[in-house]
Amino acid sequence: MADGAVIGQGAVAFTVEVQGADGKTVTFTVNTDEETVGAALLKLGVVSGEDSQYGLYVKSVNGETADYDVDGTYWAFYVNGEYAMASVDAYTPEAGTTYGFHVEKGA
């Protein structure tokens, strides 16, 4: 997605902020009627990943892959700037909320 883009259709609008491994940030708006943030982003092709015992394990965001098994990086998920305590598919979309994905390196 391009910075400033507005994608999707639906009654709830939220912001997505993606910070890649290069440190550059892209911010865009998602409109959806999906029941979870994860479902909305999967449907629109913003994220991809696989199901895990903890929910959706996001491996790719906005075309960029972070794979812990390869180089120790992963997509950290944030809600209004706070590190999320659950998977992206555990959150119900809330209007005006900013959901973030940042590439981070594990310990």
Side-chain angles (χ1 to χ4, degrees), residues 53-74:
Q53 65 186 24
Y54 305 108
L56 178 64
Y57 174 36
V58 175
K59 288 193 167 188
S60 176
V61 178
N62 209 21
E64 182 176 346
T65 299
D67 191 338
Y68 191 84
D69 296 331
V70 173
D71 60 8
T73 62
Y74 66 98

Side-chain angles (χ1 to χ4, degrees), residues 14-33:
F14 59 86
T15 301
V16 176
E17 178 186 276
V18 180
Q19 184 177 33
D22 62 3
K24 293 182 181 173
T25 301
V26 174
T27 303
F28 52 93
T29 301
V30 173
N31 295 300
T32 189
D33 287 328

